[in-house]
Amino acid sequence: MQAHYRPELIEPEVQRRWQERQAFRAGEDPTRPKYYCLSMFPYPSGRLHMGHVRNYTIGDVLARYHRMRGYNVLQPMGWDAFGLPAENAAIQNGVPPARWTYDNIAYMRGQLKRLGFAIDWSRELTTCRPEYYKWNQWLFLRMLERGLAYQKTGVVNWDPVDQTVLANEQVIDGRGWRTGAPVEKREIPMYYLAITRYAEELLADLDKLPGWPQQVKTMQANWIGKSHGVEIHFPLTPPPISGAGSAGGWGPVLKVFTTRADTLFGVTYLAVAPEHPLAQAAARDNPRLAAFIEDCRKGGVTEAELATQEKRGMDTGLKAYHPFTREALPIWVANYVLMGYGEGAVMAVPAHDARDFAFAQKYGLPIRAVIRPAGEQGGRREEATDLTPHPSALSPDLPYTDKGILFDSGDFSGRSSDDAIEAIALVLNNLGLGEKRVTWRLRDWGISRQRYWGCPIPLIHCEHCGTVPVPDEQLPVLLPEDCVPDGSGNPLAKREDFVRCTCPRCGAPARRETDTMDTFVDSSWYYARYCCPDNDAAMVDARVDYWMPVDQYIGGIEHAILHLLYSRFWSKVMRDLGLVRYDEPFARLLTQGMVLNHIYARRTDKGGIQYFAPDEVEVTTDDKGRIVAARARADGQPVDYLGLGTMSKSKRNGVDPQAIVERYGADTARLFMMFAAPPEQTLEWSETAVEGAHRFLKRLWKAVHEHLKAGAVAAYSPATGVELSPPARELRRLLHETLAKVTDDIERRQQFNTAIAAIMELMNALGRLEGEDAATRSVRQEVLEAVTLMLAPITPHICTVLYEALRPGADLLAAAWPQVDETALKRESVELVLQVNGKLRGHITVPAGADAAAIEQAALASPEAQRFTAGRPVKKVVVVPGRLVNIVL
RNA sequence: GCGCGGGUGGCGGAAUCGGUAGACGCACCGGACUUAAAAUCCGGUACCUCCGGGUGUACGGGUUCGAGUCCCGUCCCGCGCACCA
């Protein structure tokens, strides 16, 4: 073996051998347990970024580990190849999106191979290829047949200058990114998938996912947003004096949904969304109102933008009548009411809702408190008849948004909020003015995009027959690959050769739908297609039953809601069509944190902001190493340090993995990624820490080399009965403790940083072991073999070479994960922490099997206990076996 | 604004079920080797201290024999918010 670690020599050689053997090609083998390890496929943006390296290294460690544990492992890779960046690149440099995308894929595939991931490349798939997207279209048609896909209007960002729909990302401070024109909302026809029909199951089945982070399940549950409430009808005409109590005969009503029907007597106005039919009607003969509603169209459509904009409203002049008190209530138009949720109208209770409160204050609307905290004045039962408003329910404590006890609420006063909600719903129901209802926050999935670089929606518009689905035998509807978008309109609509077609139903000339599908469609089922990428006759086949569900899915936390929810939905649709058998596609999920780096920028003369890459600036640090100043290398002028942020092109703080691999090798890049932080946390880039990882590999190499210089030796085996020196026995114990910890860290905890730290500690201990006798050398061999095997999933190249050096003729790819020798773990005595009143005062050593009484005895007898108790009486002694003793005075 | 996370030495992080705070690594300091430097190896490194000890896990409170960990409140940072992927 070479004396020096030369990754640039060994890594390509090891990779060449893997390729030659097709070592990672996976076949269906029913005799072995399968392990489908999937990392989220990349968007082919041009180059790999550090987030990819992190993602795929985590996946590779788990894949290689499970291979060593005897699993039949599948780790595939592909390309999420449709999307906006390809069109942006086309606008910028005139290259067709297809060409740009395929070139990027070729380059990035090379980068992935250079990192040494154990990927089955024979299953590679690319979503912009017709053989893939054909099945998007096919499944869309199945959904259409079942009413799961349908058309309705939706609101989009409209750039009035470019006459183009803008993605949310393309709206910056309410203006179009290219034109700078104020963006408007516009309603256009779109296709939707009825994900809300699966809302109940998508929510309930979260409980079937014990392998998912609780955080992600909570986010999804909140996103689906099941809420139990009451739909209340406010009559729009004055109710008849007599006949109250009889259902019906109320005339037109304004429907609202509320989860807080208990606050009904606190309603002082009603508010409807600007798009609400009532608002539209009222605006017809009210120019000021029409202007206000028109004004609400300004700005983008994102929820964040709507929620943070100033709350504004205007009285429509219309009235609705309180179902119980018959009081006339003004109806306002308010920009904070969303048309898409509930009924697009709310009953406003300023005293008990923060948004209504702010709105009422702004416009001088009345505020009427009707709920007081239950706990106050004891909250005893007799309080229930006390109808006087509690002082705390008045001004300074408003709005009071928690539940409590009702007052000033007619027959319902004195009831608790929950009781009152039930009772009010019942009475409303009897009056025919409302009922209990379940509402969801989840909306149907709008998949139409007015863009070129996506999967065509397989529909044809015919003058005579209307919208007609493309027949299955005509699929796929091919996307022309030679378009060059220019930033205005939808390029597909300008392609007569694409648009012109004949109606499949009547044969008359017709026009193709030019909208393409949301790219989330592509990524909603690619995991299933990896199982059978070569099947041109069916979307999926029996091989899916073998591999699915994915045993381990790994990807960025930023996908916690949308991508994962859409994939779950798509799976359930495929299941209900009889295509697959699983309910949930991903059994275990690991959401990795983002990769951060320092951000430097400078204000430009024009008021813009200019970013500097970290290697373009020179930093000054204070004596504690903190960055206090920075200047650009180019001009020597100061730049601002903006702290840490996720690596991104726009902030120019990305680090190219290519440079790191070239400089230190793939193993160093992989080791750093796994060591720098636990996978779920953000990771801060640090070049010096990369060097530290590299140093460790050099030390490991040297340790094996030094050990082997004295000749080959078999690893220690307890079966030989050879007596070991106490230090050698200690090291063996540490080895097997480390093995147990590393196994647990990788498999259960998925905390690779602590696994690596434990291995480093073991190597440090190995360095301290002296002695060249055969027994000691055999322990050293055992440790080095085990370390090589434990690191093999993380740094496979160096470990391949070291393992073969340690065991000539052996094959690391066929090696099993090492076993813990339980006999090596035995201890005769244990050290316990001694506390007095919870403070650390010393340590005591007791026999390994000592019981609590014996430990207490030993603790009280120790000199530290004598000293710190100083004869004071001992109140109690807490003994935690194996850990500590606490003497309480 | 709403939902979900996070905040521990100079820095990244460790402490897995409420039980020794700071493992491991980086940086820094000192030493060895060297003509010298790099590389490498060894040692030290939370803060204060009257050297007994005391303080310390964003901030303010609470529960407990014992809190980085649990509870309440506040501040800051990150992710998501449905057309970025």
Side-chain angles (χ1 to χ4, degrees), chain A residues 64 143 169 197 212 217 220 239 275 284 376 398 418 447 623 630 634 641 669 674 696 707 737-738 749 782 845:
Chain A
R64 287 176 182 270
M143 290 168 107
E169 180 192 54
R197 277 208 233 159
W212 280 39
K217 289 190 278 188
Q220 292 218 348
E275 303 86 9
R284 243 168 266 150
E376 306 220 344
L398 291 179
D418 289 330
I447 58 158
D623 54 347
Y641 173 55
M674 301 306 276
F696 172 73
H707 166 71
E737 282 172 353
T738 303
R749 298 215 302 149
E782 187 190 8
T845 302

Side-chain angles (χ1 to χ4, degrees), chain A residues 451-514:
Chain A
R451 309 211 185 290
Y452 157 61
W453 193 234
C455 168
I457 294 176
L459 293 172
I460 288 167
H461 303 289
C462 170
E463 258 178 63
H464 315 287
C465 310
T467 300
V468 182
V470 174
D472 284 359
E473 58 275 16
Q474 289 178 25
L475 296 182
V477 176
L478 283 174
L479 183 73
E481 292 202 342
D482 54 353
C483 277
V484 183
D486 60 7
S488 73
N490 178 352
L492 266 190
K494 300 173 192 166
R495 291 281 298 237
E496 276 301 307
D497 59 334
F498 175 82
V499 172
R500 228 179 288 161
C501 62
T502 54
C503 171
R505 201 160 288 168
C506 71
R511 298 183 71 75
R512 261 185 216 292
E513 172 63 54
T514 57

Side-chain angles (χ1 to χ4, degrees), chain A residues 113-430:
Chain A
K113 290 192 170 171
R114 181 63 190 84
L115 281 157
F117 299 130
I119 289 166
D120 179 356
W121 283 103
S122 73
R123 294 170 185 262
E124 179 179 359
L125 62 79
T126 305
T127 59
C128 65
R129 299 290 310 162
E131 56 270 26
Y132 183 82
Y133 68 68
K134 171 184 177 176
W135 301 108
N136 286 353
Q137 297 173 343
W138 183 81
L139 203 84
F140 173 83
L141 293 176
R142 301 292 83 75
M143 290 168 107
L144 199 68
E145 287 162 3
R146 283 157 182 78
L148 280 168
Y150 64 95
Q151 195 198 54
K152 68 169 183 182
T153 61
V155 187
V156 294
N157 304 304
W158 182 255
D159 186 319
V161 174
D162 260 353
Q163 295 283 297
T164 300
V165 176
L166 296 179
N168 287 333
E169 180 192 54
Q170 297 171 320
V171 179
I172 296 150
D173 296 330
R175 290 166 182 277
W177 66 325
R178 281 158 52 79
T179 63
V183 167
E184 299 166 10
K185 298 182 191 72
R186 175 173 279 219
E187 281 202 56
I188 58 167
M190 301 220 286
Y191 291 94
Y192 285 84
L193 303 184
I195 190 172
T196 52
R197 277 208 233 159
Y198 285 84
E200 196 81 68
E201 195 190 347
L202 287 167
L203 179 66
D205 283 3
L206 290 172
D207 291 338
K208 291 188 191 166
L209 297 170
W212 280 39
Q214 189 53 53
Q215 169 198 5
V216 173
K217 289 190 278 188
T218 305
M219 281 194 266
Q220 292 218 348
N222 290 339
W223 183 263
I224 294 167
K226 183 177 190 175
S227 69
H228 298 268
V230 181
E231 183 182 295
I232 301 178
H233 302 179
F234 289 80
L236 292 168
T237 49
I241 306 295
S242 61
S246 63
W250 297 103
V253 296
L254 175 60
K255 292 180 186 177
V256 306
F257 174 81
T258 178
T259 57
R260 290 299 303 275
D262 54 316
T263 63
L264 182 55
F265 286 80
V267 174
T268 56
Y269 66 102
L270 297 155
V272 299
E275 303 86 9
H276 195 280
L278 214 57
Q280 301 284 329
R284 243 168 266 150
D285 38 41
N286 182 344
R288 274 190 61 225
L289 187 62
F292 172 74
I293 291 172
E294 183 57 31
D295 205 44
C296 288
R297 292 168 65 90
K298 282 186 188 158
V301 299
T302 69
E303 192 184 90
E305 192 173 336
L306 296 173
T308 50
Q309 70 189 351
E310 194 198 351
K311 316 259 173 297
R312 296 186 304 141
M314 188 177 276
D315 194 346
T316 60
L318 301 172
K319 302 283 183 214
Y321 297 87
H322 194 283
F324 293 157
T325 67
R326 296 157 178 261
E327 183 187 357
L329 300 166
I331 300 176
W332 283 60
V333 177
N335 66 349
Y336 69 89
V337 181
L338 303 175
M339 194 58 213
Y341 183 76
E343 297 290 339
V346 299
M347 61 177 221
V349 186
H352 303 299
D353 179 278
R355 277 186 314 188
D356 296 344
F357 186 81
F359 192 85
Q361 287 209 312
K362 179 169 177 178
Y363 292 103
L365 290 156
I367 296 167
R368 186 181 302 151
V370 292
I371 309 284
R372 62 177 166 76
E376 306 220 344
Q377 291 189 354
R380 294 183 305 271
R381 195 156 269 281
E382 57 264 35
E383 296 295 330
T385 52
D386 176 11
L387 303 186
T388 51
H390 187 273
S392 73
L394 297 174
S395 262
D397 294 323
L398 291 179
Y400 174 74
T401 58
D402 288 344
K403 289 185 174 177
I405 304 294
L406 279 68
F407 63 87
D408 286 354
S409 295
D411 294 344
F412 306 99
S413 295
R415 294 214 188 203
S416 73
S417 288
D418 289 330
D419 274 3
I421 289 170
E422 296 297 322
I424 286 171
L426 190 69
V427 176
L428 285 170
N429 202 18
N430 291 339

Side-chain angles (χ1 to χ4, degrees), chain A residues 730-791:
Chain A
E730 279 293 307
L731 182 67
R732 259 204 104 223
R733 181 168 69 218
L734 181 64
L735 164 62
H736 288 277
E737 282 172 353
T738 303
L739 196 43
K741 177 176 172 54
V742 169
T743 305
D744 187 51
D745 277 353
I746 292 179
E747 188 161 330
R748 180 182 62 88
R749 298 215 302 149
Q750 300 183 331
Q751 298 273 299
F752 313 101
N753 56 326
T754 51
I756 294 164
I759 295 169
M760 286 174 168
E761 279 183 81
L762 177 61
M763 285 301 295
N764 290 344
L766 177 69
R768 288 190 294 269
L769 180 70
E770 294 178 354
E772 286 301 323
D773 57 289
T776 303
R777 289 200 68 231
S778 71
V779 170
R780 210 172 271 136
Q781 174 84 15
E782 187 190 8
V783 170
L784 288 171
E785 280 183 22
V787 165
T788 306
L789 291 170
M790 285 190 284
L791 282 174

Side-chain angles (χ1 to χ4, degrees), chain A residues 442-735:
Chain A
L442 183 67
R443 309 197 295 260
D444 276 345
W445 175 11
I447 58 158
S448 297
R449 299 291 180 270
Q450 296 67 44
R451 309 211 185 290
Y452 157 61
W453 193 234
C455 168
I457 294 176
L459 293 172
I460 288 167
H461 303 289
C462 170
E463 258 178 63
H464 315 287
C465 310
T467 300
V468 182
V470 174
D472 284 359
E473 58 275 16
Q474 289 178 25
L475 296 182
V477 176
L478 283 174
L479 183 73
E481 292 202 342
D482 54 353
C483 277
V484 183
D486 60 7
S488 73
N490 178 352
L492 266 190
K494 300 173 192 166
R495 291 281 298 237
E496 276 301 307
D497 59 334
F498 175 82
V499 172
R500 228 179 288 161
C501 62
T502 54
C503 171
R505 201 160 288 168
C506 71
R511 298 183 71 75
R512 261 185 216 292
E513 172 63 54
T514 57
D515 279 3
T516 52
M517 294 185 197
D518 181 3
T519 56
F520 275 124
V521 169
D522 308 322
S523 55
S524 286
W525 68 282
Y526 73 110
Y527 48 87
R529 187 69 184 174
Y530 277 136
C531 305
C532 53
D534 52 0
N535 191 333
D536 54 11
M539 187 178 191
V540 288
D541 62 33
R543 289 173 286 175
V544 174
D545 296 332
Y546 176 80
W547 289 112
M548 286 297 291
V550 171
D551 295 279
Q552 176 71 62
Y553 196 32
I554 305 124
I557 182 66
E558 69 275 18
H559 295 293
I561 297 176
L562 292 178
H563 162 61
L564 291 170
L565 191 67
Y566 291 145
S567 294
R568 296 180 60 221
F569 160 65
W570 199 276
S571 288
K572 290 174 192 301
V573 172
M574 285 181 75
R575 177 203 61 195
D576 289 348
L577 286 164
L579 295 167
V580 299
R581 295 189 202 167
Y582 49 88
D583 293 319
E584 287 289 337
F586 313 123
R588 193 170 178 187
L589 174 69
L590 191 158
T591 49
Q592 59 156 0
M594 315 288 283
V595 182
L596 313 181
N597 199 5
H598 303 285
I599 303 169
Y600 302 93
R602 183 191 284 165
R603 283 269 160 211
T604 61
D605 303 337
K606 293 174 197 159
I609 189 159
Q610 182 191 5
Y611 288 94
F612 290 82
D615 59 7
E616 292 172 345
V617 299
E618 206 133 2
V619 297
T620 318
T621 53
D622 64 10
D623 54 347
K624 292 189 168 175
R626 278 181 291 238
I627 295 169
V628 287
R631 52 186 66 243
R633 287 185 205 278
D635 58 13
Q637 295 304 302
V639 295
D640 297 328
Y641 173 55
L642 302 186
L644 287 164
T646 56
M647 284 189 178
S648 74
K649 237 178 211 173
S650 61
K651 290 184 181 143
R652 303 202 57 225
N653 64 339
V655 174
D656 189 351
Q658 197 66 29
I660 299 302
V661 171
E662 279 163 19
R663 189 151 173 202
Y664 302 99
D667 282 336
T668 294
R670 297 166 57 120
L671 181 64
F672 164 74
M673 280 288 164
M674 301 306 276
F675 181 61
E680 310 218 86
Q681 281 184 36
T682 56
L683 182 151
E684 284 178 36
W685 180 256
S686 158
E687 179 95 17
T688 53
V690 174
E691 282 170 19
H694 190 65
R695 262 201 297 270
F696 172 73
L697 293 180
K698 282 201 283 192
R699 274 201 301 272
L700 174 65
W701 182 281
K702 194 171 152 197
V704 172
H705 185 254
E706 294 286 313
H707 166 71
L708 290 176
K709 269 204 299 203
V713 59
Y716 177 83
S717 161
T720 60
V722 171
E723 191 72 12
L724 294 177
S725 65
R729 211 179 313 134
E730 279 293 307
L731 182 67
R732 259 204 104 223
R733 181 168 69 218
L734 181 64
L735 164 62

